[in-house]
Amino acid sequence: MSRNIFRILLIFVAFQGVSQQLLSQTTVNQYIEKYAELAVKEMKRTGIPASITLAQGILESDAGNSRLALKANNHFGIKCHSSWRGKKIYHDDDARNECFRKYKSVYDSYKDHSDFIKNGQRYQFLFDYKTTDYKSWAKGLKKAGYATDKRYDENLIRIIETYNLHQFDSKKIEK
């Protein structure tokens, strides 16, 4: 009898932990509400469409719920590369135990993402597109090799259209 009670207690405790974790996860709509203004601010600073930044953040960080987002404030899956001098976190991605950038804040992640694209030679052609042309930007990011997913552009476009993110591409931000 006590063995059964112990098992039930263990199952209950395990369920409580899982349900608590599920309740604390950020939804896509909450992510958009929380970071849209930051994406618009970065669009005004660098010319990268806010819809693209938000869609990449949602996709790359699982709306802020991924291990990289939670442990390293890395919302865009940016790897260390040889020039990175900041903090690091190791995570399995295309290969085992890859080096990813770790940031003090989500703002630092957004700013570095913008700078990474703005200053990256392979992304320069993207700035020939208007900030309202999110489809060309999405296809261009795929072409430039931002991610290894063959359907990266389709995924970004689907997120943008599902959540109406293109509305942010023509927003004015107060300074």
Side-chain angles (χ1 to χ4, degrees):
M1 175 87 162
S2 66
R3 220 184 248 167
N4 286 338
I5 291 173
F6 182 72
R7 285 181 184 156
I8 290 170
L9 185 60
L10 278 178
I11 291 169
F12 177 75
V13 169
F15 177 74
Q16 285 293 97
V18 169
S19 63
Q20 196 66 10
Q21 183 180 6
L22 291 174
L23 289 174
S24 66
Q25 287 199 333
T26 303
T27 67
V28 173
N29 286 324
Q30 289 170 327
Y31 187 93
I32 294 164
E33 188 175 317
K34 193 170 187 178
Y35 298 116
E37 187 176 331
L38 182 51
V40 170
K41 182 178 179 180
E42 285 301 295
M43 177 180 70
K44 297 297 180 188
R45 185 175 76 85
T46 64
I48 300 165
S51 63
I52 289 291
T53 299
L54 282 169
Q56 285 189 282
I58 290 164
L59 183 60
E60 297 287 347
S61 76
D62 186 25
N65 296 304
S66 72
R67 178 177 176 270
L68 285 177
L70 295 171
K71 301 278 187 198
N73 288 315
N74 188 331
H75 282 235
F76 300 96
I78 300 179
K79 296 179 180 172
C80 293
H81 303 106
S82 60
S83 62
W84 180 248
R85 298 290 175 249
K87 292 191 176 193
K88 303 170 183 178
I89 187 171
Y90 294 89
H91 179 75
D92 295 349
D93 190 43
D94 296 326
R96 218 167 117 52
N97 212 26
E98 289 186 274
C99 184
F100 286 84
R101 297 177 183 195
K102 185 174 183 176
Y103 303 98
K104 289 181 185 175
S105 68
V106 174
Y107 170 75
D108 290 339
S109 176
Y110 267 72
K111 187 174 183 303
D112 188 52
H113 168 262
S114 298
D115 292 342
F116 182 78
I117 291 174
K118 182 76 175 169
N119 301 324
Q121 195 61 37
R122 65 182 170 167
Y123 302 111
Q124 290 309 299
F125 72 95
L126 294 171
F127 294 92
D128 294 336
Y129 305 131
K130 293 180 181 181
T131 57
T132 54
D133 188 1
Y134 65 88
K135 289 182 181 179
S136 292
W137 273 84
K139 292 174 185 176
L141 283 167
K142 177 187 167 195
K143 180 181 173 185
Y146 186 92
T148 55
D149 182 353
K150 290 177 173 43
R151 296 176 46 194
Y152 193 71
D153 56 336
E154 296 170 28
N155 291 332
L156 291 178
I157 292 167
R158 179 184 43 77
I159 291 167
I160 290 167
E161 292 177 349
T162 299
Y163 294 98
N164 198 27
L165 299 181
H166 46 80
Q167 69 178 310
F168 298 110
D169 294 340
S170 56
K171 291 273 182 176
K172 304 285 185 239
I173 191 164
E174 302 297 320
K175 292 199 176 195

